[in-house]
Amino acid sequence: MFILQPDNLFLSNILFYIAATFFSLLLRKKHKICNILANLLCIAGAFLGILASLGYMISDHEILRLVHFSTSIPLIALDLIIDDLTSFFVLGLSVLVLAVSLYSLGYNTHYYGKRPIGLFNFLYASFILSMFLVMTAGNTIFFFIAWEIMSLLSYFLVVFESEKEENQKAGTLYIIMTHIGATFLLIAFMIMFRYTGSFDILGSSAVIPAAAKNIIFLLLLVGFGTKAGMIPLHIWLPYAHPASSSNVSALMSGIMIKTAIYGLIRFVLLYLNVQHSWWGILILCLGVISAVLGIAYALIEHDIKRLLAFSSIENIGIILIGLGVSFIAFAQHNLFVACIGLMAALFHTFNHMLFKCGLFLGAGAIQYTTHTKDINNLGGLIKNMPATSVFILCFSLAISAIVPFNGFVSEWLTYQSLFINIDLGHAGVNMLYLLAAAALALCGALAAVCFVKLFGISFLGLARSTQAAEAKEVPMPMLLGMGLLAMICLVLGIFPLFLLRIVDKVGLSFTGLSVTDHLQGGWLMAYLPLQVEGNSITPWAFFLALLILILISLVMVRILGGKYRERKYNTWDCGFKELTPRMQYSATGFSKPLRIVFKILYRPGRELKTGEGTSPYFPLSQKYQVSTESIFEKYLYYPIILIMNKFSIKTRLSIQTGSIHMYLLYILITTLALLLYNQLV
């Protein structure tokens, strides 16, 4: 049917998001109706986006130009395009919007009568639309405008609860860092235009000299790396995510930071065509550093949302590892390995969208019912929130790359891309691949420990506070939003072939090479291992062998142990009258061993405060506080800020003299400099 054509579905998708912004303002005084209608319109738009993206990627459509409006300003046009890469990211955006909007039907009820819900939904729908425009922009000027709009809207969502001082600080840091990144992007786009005379994203960069391409690559890496949260440009992320609402955090971590991955692929891989191996080596090294340090810092956090923010840095690192391998292989004209690396990066990008969005929704559910984000104040939630606990357990297993969830598939493909890229005669690069594989294994182990802590301390044991003891299950729409994402994580883990073929089509569109033809296995197999020069593994066989081993062990225990007799008695309590929540492991105590192992990184500090008492041996109270030091903030950003402050003070005193004659001289010098520049350029 004509109306079901992908281009019409994409346009309808846009119209539904626009309608959501319009009705959010129109019905701003009727909180309940406004919330329901705005989110239902976003759900409808997301559903059409899913249909449009799948319809486009399954079929063999050429590049679609959805909108093309020329303006009276030369070279400036409103241009929206759809290709396989765009469609893939729009698919991820639409799936998340569907789940988060469904979740928001219940979550936003705590704003009724307290916050301007109409303004929130207007910002929320506009934020979604801005991300769609970033992904579909057909020229760099419109891309940059959409990028800036996305950044500003996300800033307003971060500071929505503006009376909180931490939100104000988080918003200020975020807007500074995002505009620093945007400045680098703008300079890169201007250099591209200087040589090509065009802002077309699909244009050719053949006329750009090699030296200029190197500069453009570095500018793009800093610009997009800042938005992605790549270390050391990550400092805004652990502050902004905890400050914003959980449904906003889910979209920011789930899809907004992935627009940077889209940008790297679009501009570095497709536009600049990866000229040198060192581009990929640099991205690979930054990915390894981001992955290891990201999960290391996540491990010591006891604020759930800060923990998840640092975990996002880790997963961005994993994605960059896949991209780095792909870029190195593209530079060496090894298209098969390049496509595998790209497939691993895109597959993990989609997977991280799902389980990280779900984890932030789970954190929002915990905060919704307990009014706290501190893991040390939780415990025993599995009794009062059984459905939420199951969903968070699923997301925790997925992000820890545990069979049979989707996180394992993409991380295994990343391992494969590292191993098969090892080539005799390149000892230095081979060592880098081996170190990256070892770092990835370390990240997997630390991630498992991190999310065992998150789930175990929060949901198991005894309640550590009144809020945790009185917690109740969240409303049904919130459960449906989390349940949808958990189900997709499980399905893609067991049957990954469908998404693998979609991801493969992205690489096929510009290399002409399909990777899925080299994957072994059928539709009903749990995983599709690669068979490349003996480097293979079949995870479902290991999983099946483990189950058989467990069953044999249980049978042997029953046979050799004789008749089973059940005896019930109280848990041994070390001579105390009864167990109390204070006898349990805390989140701080759980991570203490690793805090000692990585003390050179954490630089822990301790403070003990003792209350007054009749004797120093019997104080009335004691408070023991553990702190860690952010090495990037203290040794990188604080010195830079100090130097800039001193320079600003000196400059202000020497330039702003108060003399009108000096100001006229400044104007004259500036005018002459501009005239000279115009003559030379």
Side-chain angles (χ1 to χ4, degrees):
M1 296 177 62
F2 175 76
I3 197 171
L4 294 180
Q5 293 296 317
D7 52 349
N8 294 320
L9 291 174
F10 279 120
L11 291 173
S12 300
N13 177 26
I14 297 174
L15 292 177
F16 271 104
Y17 293 145
I18 294 174
T21 63
F22 173 76
F23 284 107
S24 294
L25 295 179
L26 184 65
L27 302 172
R28 63 187 182 278
K29 294 183 179 180
K30 299 179 180 179
H31 285 191
K32 185 175 181 180
I33 297 176
C34 174
N35 184 53
I36 293 174
L37 183 58
N39 282 294
L40 287 179
L41 287 170
C42 288
I43 290 172
F47 183 72
L48 291 176
I50 294 172
L51 291 180
S53 300
L54 291 177
Y56 178 85
M57 299 197 76
I58 292 174
S59 63
D60 294 322
H61 283 87
E62 298 294 331
I63 295 176
L64 296 178
R65 290 197 174 271
L66 296 180
V67 178
H68 182 75
F69 289 138
S70 299
T71 66
S72 58
I73 305 175
L75 302 173
I76 304 298
L78 173 60
D79 198 9
L80 300 182
I81 62 169
I82 296 291
D83 61 4
D84 288 303
L85 180 63
T86 295
S87 187
F88 174 79
F89 278 88
V90 171
L91 175 63
L93 170 67
S94 301
V95 171
L96 295 199
V97 170
L98 177 62
V100 174
S101 298
L102 186 59
Y103 175 93
S104 298
L105 289 171
Y107 179 80
N108 286 350
T109 56
H110 76 288
Y111 285 147
Y112 290 176
K114 302 176 183 177
R115 304 278 176 185
I117 194 70
L119 175 61
F120 179 85
N121 284 324
F122 168 78
L123 294 172
Y124 172 79
S126 301
F127 179 50
I128 295 169
L129 182 59
S130 68
M131 289 188 286
F132 181 89
L133 295 178
V134 166
M135 297 170 186
T136 57
N139 63 75
T140 53
I141 292 297
F142 186 66
F143 176 91
F144 185 78
I145 293 172
W147 185 270
E148 281 290 87
I149 292 173
M150 176 184 72
S151 300
L152 288 173
L153 289 171
S154 55
Y155 163 76
F156 289 125
L157 287 168
V158 168
V159 299
F160 183 70
E161 299 179 15
S162 56
E163 74 283 357
K164 297 180 180 179
E165 185 178 355
E166 62 269 22
N167 290 25
Q168 298 174 16
K169 291 182 178 179
T172 302
L173 179 60
Y174 170 59
I175 201 66
I176 290 173
M177 290 301 296
T178 195
H179 276 87
I180 290 174
T183 302
F184 280 85
L185 293 181
L186 184 60
I187 296 172
F189 294 156
M190 291 298 100
I191 296 175
M192 289 158 56
F193 175 76
R194 169 68 178 81
Y195 288 100
T196 63
S198 172
F199 291 118
D200 188 4
I201 279 180
L202 301 179
S204 173
S205 64
V207 297
I208 303 178
K213 284 188 176 182
N214 290 334
I215 296 173
I216 293 171
F217 163 71
L218 293 174
L219 292 169
L220 292 174
L221 182 61
V222 174
F224 289 124
T226 303
K227 180 67 72 177
M230 178 186 71
I231 288 178
L233 306 170
H234 68 290
I235 60 168
W236 65 269
L237 203 145
Y239 293 95
H241 284 345
S244 56
S245 302
S246 292
N247 48 356
V248 173
S249 298
L251 286 181
M252 288 180 67
S253 186
I255 186 64
M256 186 193 75
I257 63 175
K258 308 304 188 309
T259 57
I261 303 300
Y262 167 80
L264 284 174
I265 297 174
R266 171 66 70 191
F267 291 101
V268 177
L269 179 58
L270 300 186
Y271 187 84
L272 297 180
N273 297 317
V274 188
Q275 301 297 303
H276 307 286
S277 296
W278 69 264
W279 293 11
I281 292 173
L282 178 58
I283 291 177
L284 178 60
C285 292
L286 291 172
V288 169
I289 295 171
S290 298
V292 174
L293 296 186
I295 194 60
Y297 280 116
L299 187 61
I300 61 172
E301 289 293 337
H302 53 79
D303 182 304
I304 298 178
K305 295 179 74 175
R306 276 183 64 87
L307 182 153
L308 296 178
F310 277 113
S311 173
S312 292
I313 296 171
E314 178 226 357
N315 282 274
I316 285 294
I318 295 174
I319 295 169
L320 291 177
I321 290 174
L323 275 187
V325 172
S326 179
F327 286 6
I328 294 171
F330 270 115
Q332 297 173 348
H333 306 290
N334 188 346
L335 293 184
F336 178 70
V337 175
C339 288
I340 293 176
L342 183 63
M343 173 182 281
L346 289 176
F347 202 113
H348 197 74
T349 297
F350 197 88
N351 287 341
H352 185 249
M353 291 179 189
L354 298 172
F355 51 65
K356 184 50 62 66
C357 180
L359 284 167
F360 269 108
L361 297 185
I366 293 172
Q367 189 177 6
Y368 180 91
T369 189
T370 64
H371 308 290
T372 183
K373 299 178 292 182
D374 192 341
I375 299 176
N376 286 322
N377 292 330
L378 301 174
L381 294 181
I382 195 171
K383 304 178 185 68
N384 300 328
M385 306 174 68
T388 299
S389 66
V390 170
F391 297 145
I392 293 183
L393 177 61
C394 291
F395 299 134
S396 298
L397 292 172
I399 199 171
S400 302
I402 303 298
V403 177
F405 290 90
N406 57 341
F408 177 85
V409 185
S410 53
E411 288 203 26
W412 173 245
L413 284 173
T414 306
Y415 279 115
Q416 290 278 32
S417 67
L418 287 167
F419 290 142
I420 66 174
N421 212 15
I422 294 176
D423 186 19
L424 296 177
H426 297 84
V429 179
N430 291 348
M431 183 62 69
L432 179 60
Y433 293 144
L434 292 174
L435 289 175
L440 193 57
L442 176 62
C443 290
L446 294 179
V449 174
C450 181
F451 286 94
V452 165
K453 181 187 81 169
L454 170 63
F455 184 83
I457 305 297
S458 301
F459 287 92
L460 305 181
L462 301 175
R464 295 172 174 80
S465 64
T466 305
Q467 302 99 305
E470 297 175 354
K472 297 180 180 179
E473 191 60 273
V474 295
M476 184 57 67
M478 297 173 68
L479 294 177
L480 292 175
M482 291 185 288
L484 174 63
L485 294 175
M487 181 188 68
I488 298 175
C489 286
L490 182 60
V491 170
L492 290 182
I494 299 174
F495 308 109
L497 182 59
F498 177 72
L499 185 60
L500 283 172
R501 291 198 181 279
I502 289 179
V503 174
D504 185 52
K505 195 171 186 297
V506 176
L508 180 66
S509 63
F510 57 86
T511 64
L513 181 65
S514 173
V515 175
T516 53
D517 295 338
H518 298 271
L519 296 173
Q520 307 299 313
W523 179 262
L524 296 179
M525 278 192 174
Y527 301 104
L528 302 169
L530 276 166
Q531 300 284 354
V532 181
E533 298 181 359
N535 173 39
S536 64
I537 189 172
T538 310
W540 67 267
F542 282 95
F543 183 59
L544 182 61
L546 181 62
L547 290 178
I548 294 173
L549 182 61
I550 293 173
L551 289 175
I552 292 175
S553 300
L554 291 175
V555 171
M556 294 300 293
V557 167
R558 292 301 300 270
I559 293 174
L560 299 177
K563 187 176 181 181
Y564 176 74
R565 291 183 300 171
E566 181 178 354
R567 292 182 296 175
K568 293 184 178 180
Y569 200 72
N570 294 332
T571 303
W572 180 58
D573 52 14
C574 305
F576 291 95
K577 182 178 180 181
E578 62 181 4
L579 293 173
T580 66
R582 295 190 64 184
M583 298 175 184
Q584 303 177 117
Y585 259 106
S586 65
T588 305
F590 188 91
S591 59
K592 177 68 173 180
L594 288 171
R595 194 189 302 263
I596 295 173
V597 172
F598 295 108
K599 65 180 180 180
I600 191 173
L601 172 65
Y602 298 138
R603 298 178 179 271
R606 303 170 183 83
E607 183 179 2
L608 178 62
K609 294 182 179 180
T610 303
E612 296 181 356
T614 57
S615 168
Y617 301 105
F618 300 99
L620 295 178
S621 64
Q622 282 187 324
K623 183 178 181 181
Y624 180 73
Q625 188 172 358
V626 179
S627 61
T628 56
E629 187 179 88
S630 176
I631 58 175
F632 290 100
E633 292 183 22
K634 183 174 181 179
Y635 298 104
L636 178 61
Y637 287 97
Y638 286 162
I640 292 175
I641 293 172
L642 184 62
I643 292 171
M644 291 178 63
N645 283 337
K646 290 181 178 179
F647 176 77
S648 299
I649 292 172
K650 290 182 178 180
T651 304
R652 184 187 64 185
L653 294 177
S654 59
I655 293 179
Q656 294 183 350
T657 61
S659 171
I660 191 170
H661 301 290
M662 289 297 296
Y663 297 156
L664 290 173
L665 179 62
Y666 297 155
I667 295 173
L668 176 62
I669 293 173
T670 304
T671 304
L672 292 175
L674 291 174
L675 289 172
L676 179 63
Y677 173 81
N678 186 56
Q679 289 296 321
L680 295 176
V681 177

